[in-house]
Amino acid sequence: YFGPNLPAEEIAAAAQKTNSKAIALSIGHRIDDALVIREVRKVKNYCAKYARVFVGGYGTFVLKKRIQSTGVKVIVNVDDFRSELEASQ
């Protein structure tokens, strides 16, 4: 856990430094849809070579299709997340 409202660059740097294989982002509420999509896309682009990116949370319901269009998996529940992590090992 690195805290709320981190820019994509900081998330990617932390994930790379910790050798993360997966990055889970939580969108708790919607502030600016275009900003959210831009930042999700940046995280995906920065981390695609070494980590899978997942997004969940209440704020993803309306943005699900737009998030998925970035190549990021939207997680709707913990079982789904667990299955995705196990499948990528």
Side-chain angles (χ1 to χ4, degrees):
Y1 178 76
F2 293 107
N5 303 319
L6 289 178
E9 295 82 2
E10 289 186 34
I11 294 168
Q16 189 171 24
K17 186 173 184 170
T18 60
N19 296 316
S20 297
K21 301 295 183 224
I23 299 163
L25 305 173
S26 177
I27 301 172
H29 54 82
R30 295 171 49 215
I31 297 171
D32 179 344
D33 293 354
L35 174 64
V36 168
I37 298 302
R38 254 191 330 270
E39 291 297 302
V40 167
R41 185 174 281 120
K42 282 184 194 179
V43 171
K44 168 71 172 159
N45 290 339
Y46 292 147
C47 301
K49 293 179 182 160
Y50 58 88
R52 289 190 65 198
V53 180
F54 301 94
V55 177
Y58 180 77
T60 62
F61 293 123
V62 173
L63 297 173
K64 184 175 180 177
K65 288 183 182 178
R66 290 180 64 193
I67 291 170
Q68 288 173 327
S69 74
T70 68
V72 170
K73 174 73 176 172
V74 175
I75 299 298
V76 295
N77 61 55
V78 174
D79 291 333
D80 186 24
F81 186 45
R82 184 178 295 115
S83 295
E84 288 290 332
L85 289 175
E86 289 172 354
S88 63
Q89 288 185 9

